[in-house]
Amino acid sequence: MSRQHIISMLLENESGALSRVAGLFSARAYNIESLTVAATIDPSLSRLTVVTVGSDKVIEQIKKQLDKLVDVVKLIDLSESFSLERELVLLKVKKSDATEQKISDLGADSMACITDETDGFLIIEVSGEKTWLDDFLLTLGDDIVEVVRSGVIGLSRGERTLTL
Amino acid sequence: MELSGGEIVIQSLKDEGVEYVFGYPGGCVLHIYDAIFRQEDVKHVLVRHEQGATHAADGYARASGKPGVVLVTSGPGATNAVTGIATAYMDSIPMVVITGQVPKAVIGSDAFQEVDTIGITRPCVKHNFLVKNVGDIAETMKKAFYLATSGRPGPVIVDIPKDITDPNIKVPYEYPAEISMRSYTPPVSGDIGQIIEAVKLIKEAKRPVIYSGGGVVLGEGSAELRELCRALNFPVTQTLMGLGAFPGTDPQFIGMLGMHGTYEANMAMHNSDLIIAIGARFDDRVTGKVDEFCPHAKIIHIDVDPASIAKIIEVDVAIVGQVKPILLDMLAQIKHLDETFDRARIADWWLQIDQWRATDCMAYDTTTGTIKPQYVIEQLYKVTGGEAYLTSDVGQHQMFAAQFYPFDEPRRWINSGGLGTMGFGLPAAMGVKFAHPDADVACVTGEGSIQMCLQELSTMLQYDTPVKVINLNNGYLGMVRQWQEFSYDSRYSHSYLEALPDFKKLAEAYGHVGMTIKKKEDVEPALREAFAMKNRTVFLDFLTDTKENVYPMIAAGKAHHDMMMGPSSKYKRNEP
């Protein structure tokens, strides 16, 4: 049975490290649902988080193959532990009383907020868990003019960490 | 000591103990070539095509156990090397490939002879480096050799922009004695708990098979494998890449397994209750139909690469680490068991295997007057006393060589198993000759494959590396023709090679000896004459039976017990 996994890893902050990870997924026909990468506090390392889907066997292979890449220093499967995941969404809607009402209804329990208003368009910023955001976007439906998602990031809760 | 970047490249090779570099100069590596010119320790071999350089370095590495080293220029130099790099990658061969790159300032500008070497080679190397500072060259070279030769070996590329090899910019040089990388820790010995679990299964097995692969050759585990096999008296099969780790002439060896493996090896796998896979990766040519692979067997898998474990086949006991210490630990555990270990337990299993063996599955028609390719290999074995290093290209001749030339020592059989690269054999044979100048080296090839890297005949004359080329010339791309006969109603689409050259004259034109052998009775004398010419490369063009097939065969997608048997075997359908 296929399941979604969030795999997070520390990469050597070398040029080409990202393409090794991305290339591995395409070369071996693994799925990428989202991928996000940025430097960490340690400038020699970047942290990459990839959301992928596969059977247990495939996920096991993905982790092993990633671990085999020389630039991957350490990795963790956040789906295997109690973890916190978040994704940021920016979306643009045409300003109208109806949409503003809808957003304020949704926003009450979602922390969605109107971040910008220019020339009759609103940019709404909202973060949350991926599945929750999927539902949020479905609710707004045709009101959305443009949308961008950051891809999922996450941390293990409690003592467990991904550090050197 | 202050050195320029070009000098550092060569000094690093010297400090690494490199004897030969196979290469081809060009604009972006001229500074490095100038550094080569001004020293004598590292010898450069000028090939005729960069693909030849990689295969020669590969052959050298396979035969010697030392890393092969290649030096090529940017752009086409690098792209021509890619096939050889991928070949080495698929067979886990240690190789360091130095590629020139355009100066840093023009990278990305589509400069003359610029190509993204790092990007192009990324999926077929163990790792690659683009060096950006002259001060980083020595450490990068050290890392490259460390990565190439440790863990699961493989090719590593060091891409060096021309400007950092500038002879006018000198920096202090020191070659690191040791290197460690926080992101790379190859496994050493195996988990003892897992080894004990494995030995428990070994103790209980009634129909065991040892399935040994190229990892035993690469990991120098041949002696330990032999000791283990003899202690257990289990039947041994080997993959195409593993041949020679266990002696091919030993009665305990039941032949190669897989697509063109023996009936007894494949039937033993199918009926086994315990498979001990050692340094083998369950390649599709070995497993056949994965869903029906060894349906009754528990599986122990020993491999240095954790990603090989459970990649294709789920296993019961996985032991990750270097083959040699694992086999030694296993032997120690088995010796503990001596009192209770019952060798008679598998007597029935051996009886069954001997019945399968009696089908004589590789038998071919010896009554015809035509030269059968199998006959040539048998005579080659006879004439060389089974002592030669054999390289091969890819196709029917490769399978005939693997089937009919039993190797008693590791590193004697050198072929492109994973990538299946036609054109590999001749330059690889040259590389072997550099590693073992006094040994008999033969390249078993076909008229299709040999034309893919033929130009290296010229290099072989220049460097005096005498090789015997055994050309099994049937006028067809034999393996393609065989598949077309079986699967495409004998529609031989573009598998017939017309307008073939006169290979005898061609060899002579290159300054070598050429022979054409048309009659069966001339095969052995021709081989004797050729091998008597110790210092000459001899091209023996054997005009063989045009329609011979490789048997037995497991068709693609079939299981081990579902084999096509040759018409000359004693196999009967109603047998077990």
Side-chain angles (χ1 to χ4, degrees), chain B residues 118-146:
Chain B
I118 295 297
I120 284 178
T121 58
R122 197 190 58 230
C124 61
V125 293
K126 183 165 173 185
H127 196 59
N128 55 21
F129 297 96
L130 173 64
V131 193
K132 289 180 182 149
N133 299 298
V134 58
D136 295 340
I137 296 175
E139 188 184 318
T140 309
M141 292 291 287
K142 182 73 189 177
K143 281 183 181 169
F145 278 95
Y146 172 54

Side-chain angles (χ1 to χ4, degrees), chain B residues 416-439:
Chain B
S416 166
L419 197 67
T421 308
M422 290 170 72
F424 173 81
L426 188 69
M430 176 173 71
V432 174
K433 200 67 192 175
F434 277 103
H436 301 290
D438 299 326

Side-chain angles (χ1 to χ4, degrees), chain A residues 12 15-16 19-20 22-24 27-28 42 44-45 57 61 64-65 67-73 164, chain B residues 89 118 122-123 126-129 132 147 152 181-184 305-314:
Chain A
E12 294 289 359
S15 66
S19 60
R20 289 183 209 280
L24 173 71
R28 294 192 182 265
D42 177 349
S44 73
L45 289 171
K57 187 179 171 180
Q61 257 305 300
K64 284 176 175 173
Q65 293 290 350
D67 215 20
K68 203 168 140 178
L69 293 177
V70 171
D71 282 339
V72 173
V73 183
L164 290 190
Chain B
Y89 179 68
I118 295 297
R122 197 190 58 230
K126 183 165 173 185
H127 196 59
N128 55 21
F129 297 96
K132 289 180 182 149
L147 287 170
R152 180 177 181 172
M181 296 168 74
R182 63 179 174 185
S183 61
Y184 176 77
D305 178 8
S308 280
I309 309 282
K311 183 176 76 173
I312 310 291
I313 302 286
E314 293 295 333

Side-chain angles (χ1 to χ4, degrees), chain B residues 447-506:
Chain B
E447 77 291 344
S449 286
I450 193 66
Q451 294 190 79
M452 284 207 190
C453 259
L454 187 68
Q455 74 287 343
E456 298 310 324
L457 281 174
S458 172
T459 317
M460 289 159 67
L461 185 73
Q462 181 175 345
Y463 293 92
D464 193 17
T465 53
V467 161
K468 308 299 177 261
V469 180
I470 313 296
N471 190 39
L472 301 179
N473 183 349
N474 62 358
Y476 278 102
L477 300 174
M479 193 58 93
V480 172
R481 192 208 58 75
Q482 175 169 344
W483 281 54
Q484 289 172 337
E485 178 188 329
F486 292 166
S487 305
Y488 299 89
D489 277 336
S490 299
R491 290 186 298 279
Y492 297 137
S493 181
H494 298 272
S495 54
Y496 180 64
L497 289 174
E498 286 178 81
L500 285 170
D502 179 335
F503 286 107
K504 177 177 183 293
K505 281 189 192 158
L506 192 60

Side-chain angles (χ1 to χ4, degrees), chain B residues 6 17 46 113 119 147 157 173 190 223 307 312 330 386 390 404 414 434 447:
Chain B
L46 176 68
Q113 291 195 328
L147 287 170
I157 287 184
Y173 169 82
I312 310 291
M330 221 167 187
L390 243 62
F404 289 87
I414 285 157
F434 277 103
E447 77 291 344

Side-chain angles (χ1 to χ4, degrees), chain A residues 85-99:
Chain A
E85 58 158 295
R86 282 293 178 269
E87 184 173 13
L88 175 70
V89 173
L90 296 178
L91 58 97
K92 189 181 282 182
V93 294
K94 206 162 174 40
K95 183 179 161 67
S96 75
D97 290 347
T99 51

